Amino acid sequence: LIPTAIVASTEAPEPWYLALLGFAEHFRTSSPPKIRLCVHCLQAVFQFKPPPRVEARTHLQLGSVLYRHTKNSELAQSHLEKAWFISQQISFFMYVKFEAASILSEFYCQQNLVDSAKPVLRKAIQISQQTPYWHCRLLFQLAQLHALEKDLVSACDLLGVGAEYARVMGSEYTRALFLLSKGMLLLMERKLSEVHPLLTLCGTIVENWQGNPIQKESLRVFFLVLQVTHYLDAGQVKSVKPCLKQLQQCIQTISTLHDDEILPTNPAALFHWLPKEHMCVLVYLVTVMHSMQAGYLEKAQKYTDKALMQLEKLKMLDSSPILSTFQVILLEHIIMCRLVTGHKATALQEISQVCQLCQQSPRLFTNHAAQLHTLLGLYCISVNCMDNAEAQFTAALQMTTHQELWTFIVTNLASVYIREGNRHQELYSLLERINPDHNFPVSSHCLRAAAFYIRGLLSFFQGRYNEAKRFLRETLKMSNAEDLNRLMACSLVLLGHIFFVLGNHRESNNMVVPAMQLASKIPDMSVQLWSSALLKDLNKACGNTMDAHEAAQMHQNFSQQLLQDHIAACSLPEHNLISWTDGLPPVQFQPQNGPTTSLGSLL
């Protein structure tokens, strides 16, 4: 309840005021909190006709308590607006004035009254230039508001203003925070020509800044996270490794440092990017993203388990929305891993978990609806429900403006049309939009390699084997350059299949054996199934009876595992999610009588 504001005040507080404030704070911090009694004590202050400073401060305290602890939004708004209005009339009343502006704007945003929040923040920024801490904090807040509205240009402009202000105020630390935040938004905007010089400048500032070790390391984590995600967005899984290693070492360093209670002497430097515990989860998260792209799925599983365990502990004490965002992104990645490793039933239950998290937060659902439908589309492919897969991918395409996600969805939708075999017009229309040889829509190395694979797959089904080989060799070359193990395994086994059809058994074997080894290492259940079938036929054709029998046994084992998982997944009530393509995800699911799809093709 802002006790520091009273201590800092030049007025000697009246005994009745201290008593009421003490009671209010006692009730607020009781276990459980007695919010109604706290509110009564604060409202009683007005009975004494207090001076304007006490009146404004009490309105702020009441507004804050009502906003944070009750659903009485109308009364909270009234008190916060009065606090902001009264405090503007009082000179040298910075804390209450700017705190009121900040909380009132936050309240407006929560009530979807963004247009009411902006003028409050702009006015507060205008009158706070002599108060460095509040000026910087309000600039960050308004920039975040613009970013949430997807107005990244305005957000970047404000962060640029903040960086220059921090430089003038002599805080290189806060200048770096503003510039790194701007770099993050420029990465989201794909303005790479602006990102590179900005990150170079940030790297220099971070390395040269001498200050609190935890603050310095947290800046390095922020800087390295941006570099790692930039590489991963570009699909450069091998090139990112040195940065990722630095990031992991950096977070280990932070975890050994003790939080220094000594506050910076420069009021413009009273900020931190993320709590240490949140940074740990974030580093786990980018490690999972890397492992997923590279095809180290067991490693991805290990780090996901660690991160989710840490998140569960944090969420018991911390209601920060970023934790739910981390949780959803982790689940999105591990769901893709499960589908590859042949654990569809678990993947489906985790998709349902993402649905539940999105039910609790409209903003989370808005930001992840396209990804959710994409995951359902991938699940539908894995259980051979191609019509549902098409519907899910089509819904996802309508919900995203993110170019990399759009390209990923189109690539998978093209694979659905290839499998269906009778959607030539739609297929060629899609392939024109993801032509890896000409005007590919994104700079992602990984997605371009996948586009070559899709072309190779189509040529294979059409019997144009030489053309298929050209496309698949391009995929292999690109996959090898950046350690894209899963694409490499898929390309090798498909090339092996082509050589087998052409009667070149030796070359086929040279492709299928490494494909099997790579698929076992990932592990990729579908490629293992495909490779073992090919090895069985190859050895049979070459008269290697024992090897053919061994491969047949392997194929039988993989088939049984996949069939059991297929039946388990399709029997779950959550399987009905495959029919959901519009609005919020359903909360409850009707039980299934049994699998309604055939195992069909698992390739």
Side-chain angles (χ1 to χ4, degrees):
L1 292 175
I2 330 176
T4 51
I6 300 166
V7 175
S9 173
T10 54
E11 299 169 1
E14 295 281 352
W16 56 263
Y17 177 54
L18 287 178
L20 286 171
L21 197 64
F23 278 125
E25 182 66 356
H26 167 74
F27 291 131
R28 187 182 72 86
T29 55
S30 296
S31 185
K34 297 172 181 174
I35 298 302
R36 180 172 291 185
L37 293 173
C38 171
V39 169
H40 282 327
C41 290
L42 291 170
Q43 284 173 331
V45 170
F46 299 123
Q47 302 299 316
F48 291 86
K49 302 284 188 292
R53 283 173 177 267
V54 172
E55 186 184 359
R57 188 184 297 124
T58 306
H59 280 302
L60 173 58
Q61 291 162 341
L62 271 166
S64 300
V65 168
L66 290 164
Y67 168 44
R68 309 274 187 217
H69 299 281
T70 76
K71 293 182 179 177
N72 196 337
S73 54
E74 211 171 296
L75 196 55
Q77 180 175 340
S78 171
H79 283 295
L80 289 170
E81 285 174 344
K82 285 174 183 173
W84 170 232
F85 176 75
I86 296 167
S87 63
Q88 287 179 78
Q89 322 303 316
I90 305 168
S91 303
F92 307 110
F93 201 43
M94 303 308 178
Y95 185 97
V96 171
K97 191 181 299 183
F98 300 131
E99 181 82 5
S102 179
I103 297 176
L104 178 59
S105 301
E106 187 186 319
F107 171 84
Y108 282 146
C109 289
Q110 193 200 56
Q111 300 294 314
N112 292 318
L113 301 169
V114 175
D115 289 337
S116 299
K118 287 176 189 172
V120 172
L121 285 173
R122 287 195 194 107
K123 178 68 186 293
I125 288 167
Q126 183 188 336
I127 61 177
S128 64
Q129 292 195 30
Q130 303 306 313
T131 315
Y133 166 74
W134 277 107
H135 192 64
C136 291
R137 178 169 158 178
L138 293 162
L139 280 167
F140 274 126
Q141 192 171 346
L142 185 55
Q144 182 181 31
L145 193 157
H146 282 300
L148 290 172
E149 283 198 305
K150 310 293 186 208
D151 180 4
L152 300 188
V153 174
S154 297
C156 283
D157 288 345
L158 283 162
L159 292 169
V161 169
E164 179 57 21
Y165 179 82
R167 186 191 68 78
V168 171
M169 289 292 111
S171 176
E172 287 295 282
Y173 167 76
T174 305
R175 182 188 177 204
L177 279 180
F178 274 113
L179 290 174
L180 287 166
S181 301
K182 184 177 178 180
M184 180 172 66
L185 297 184
L186 289 172
L187 278 173
M188 289 165 65
E189 278 277 81
R190 300 294 178 266
K191 292 187 176 176
L192 302 186
S193 60
E194 294 179 52
V195 168
H196 294 141
L198 186 66
L199 285 184
T200 304
L201 173 61
C202 288
T204 306
I205 294 171
V206 172
E207 289 311 312
N208 292 340
W209 184 70
Q210 301 300 318
N212 181 310
I214 284 188
Q215 284 186 316
K216 185 177 176 75
E217 290 303 312
S218 73
L219 283 180
R220 290 190 73 224
V221 170
F222 195 170
F223 173 68
L224 288 166
V225 163
L226 292 186
Q227 285 204 309
V228 169
T229 50
H230 179 35
Y231 276 118
L232 292 178
D233 264 357
Q236 295 175 323
V237 174
K238 189 175 184 178
S239 306
V240 77
K241 284 182 178 177
C243 278
L244 184 59
K245 193 172 180 182
Q246 279 185 61
L247 177 59
Q248 289 163 342
Q249 288 168 344
C250 197
I251 203 69
Q252 284 178 344
T253 304
I254 283 187
S255 60
T256 63
L257 294 171
H258 295 291
D259 289 319
D260 199 340
E261 293 299 322
I262 302 169
L263 291 173
T265 52
N266 189 335
L270 290 168
F271 297 95
H272 64 260
W273 175 48
L274 279 178
K276 193 161 61 173
E277 297 77 14
H278 292 199
M279 281 191 265
C280 289
V281 174
L282 181 58
V283 174
Y284 282 140
L285 175 55
V286 294
T287 304
V288 168
M289 290 165 72
H290 174 260
S291 302
M292 174 67 212
Q293 276 199 36
Y296 306 130
L297 302 194
E298 286 180 345
K299 187 178 177 184
Q301 173 69 64
K302 183 179 89 171
Y303 281 106
T304 299
D305 290 344
K306 284 185 175 184
L308 289 174
M309 201 181 303
Q310 181 90 349
L311 275 171
E312 285 306 313
K313 289 178 187 171
L314 288 173
K315 286 181 87 173
M316 287 181 208
L317 307 166
D318 186 347
S319 60
S320 174
I322 200 170
L323 296 179
S324 294
T325 301
F326 286 164
Q327 190 176 359
V328 166
I329 297 171
L330 279 162
L331 286 168
E332 286 169 354
H333 281 80
I334 203 61
I335 287 160
M336 289 189 281
C337 290
R338 306 265 196 225
L339 294 173
V340 172
T341 57
H343 298 94
K344 296 184 280 288
T346 308
L348 187 56
Q349 288 167 329
E350 286 166 340
I351 290 173
S352 171
Q353 199 179 334
V354 175
C355 288
Q356 287 164 21
L357 285 165
C358 288
Q359 280 279 356
Q360 295 161 20
S361 166
R363 183 173 290 160
L364 206 56
F365 178 67
T366 301
N367 291 337
H368 292 269
Q371 291 91 317
L372 199 42
H373 285 292
T374 304
L375 291 169
L376 281 166
L378 295 173
Y379 167 76
C380 291
I381 291 176
S382 75
V383 291
N384 205 32
C385 298
M386 294 302 165
D387 288 346
N388 295 100
E390 181 185 351
Q392 291 296 338
F393 289 139
T394 303
L397 285 173
Q398 291 167 354
M399 294 176 184
T400 188
T401 55
H402 190 278
Q403 277 292 298
E404 276 77 8
L405 180 57
W406 180 90
T407 306
F408 179 79
I409 297 164
V410 167
T411 304
N412 282 284
L413 183 55
S415 80
V416 170
Y417 289 153
I418 289 170
R419 290 160 205 247
E420 288 184 319
N422 58 354
R423 305 293 296 278
H424 305 300
Q425 190 174 342
E426 295 97 326
L427 175 59
Y428 289 121
S429 172
L430 282 184
L431 291 178
E432 272 304 302
R433 301 169 81 180
I434 54 164
N435 185 347
D437 286 319
H438 181 67
N439 287 340
F440 195 63
V442 292
S443 60
S444 171
H445 184 92
C446 180
L447 287 171
R448 188 162 170 262
F452 275 118
Y453 176 78
I454 287 294
R455 295 262 169 170
L457 188 66
L458 176 61
S459 300
F460 166 73
F461 276 114
Q462 292 175 333
R464 302 203 306 269
Y465 298 128
N466 284 334
E467 186 180 271
K469 283 191 281 185
R470 181 184 84 78
F471 287 128
L472 292 170
R473 281 177 178 139
E474 198 61 44
T475 304
L476 271 181
K477 185 173 79 177
M478 294 184 73
S479 300
N480 195 46
E482 284 293 344
D483 287 351
L484 305 172
N485 289 327
R486 188 154 183 263
L487 267 176
M488 206 182 300
C490 291
S491 303
L492 283 169
V493 73
L494 185 48
L495 274 168
H497 203 134
I498 290 167
F499 284 121
F500 179 76
V501 170
L502 294 172
N504 189 340
H505 294 164
R506 173 182 248 176
E507 200 60 42
S508 177
N509 193 67
N510 288 343
M511 298 291 138
V512 178
V513 170
M516 186 62 160
Q517 289 168 344
L518 203 49
S520 304
K521 182 180 161 189
I522 290 170
D524 185 324
M525 189 66 82
S526 295
V527 174
Q528 285 177 296
L529 182 75
W530 190 357
S531 300
S532 58
L534 264 175
L535 281 172
K536 178 187 71 174
D537 294 343
L538 261 175
N539 285 306
K540 197 173 175 183
C542 297
N544 303 328
T545 312
M546 291 289 287
D547 290 340
H549 178 74
E550 188 183 329
Q553 190 59 53
M554 282 167 61
H555 185 260
Q556 177 68 14
N557 292 342
F558 291 135
S559 297
Q560 280 302 312
Q561 285 178 54
L562 281 166
L563 180 59
Q564 286 166 11
D565 184 52
H566 179 95
I567 292 167
C570 295
S571 302
L572 288 169
E574 291 87 350
H575 182 73
N576 285 299
L577 274 170
I578 67 172
S579 304
W580 163 65
T581 55
D582 189 35
L584 284 168
V587 182
Q588 292 182 321
F589 313 100
Q590 294 301 314
Q592 290 280 111
N593 295 322
T596 54
T597 60
S598 63
L599 183 59
S601 165
L602 287 158
L603 304 181

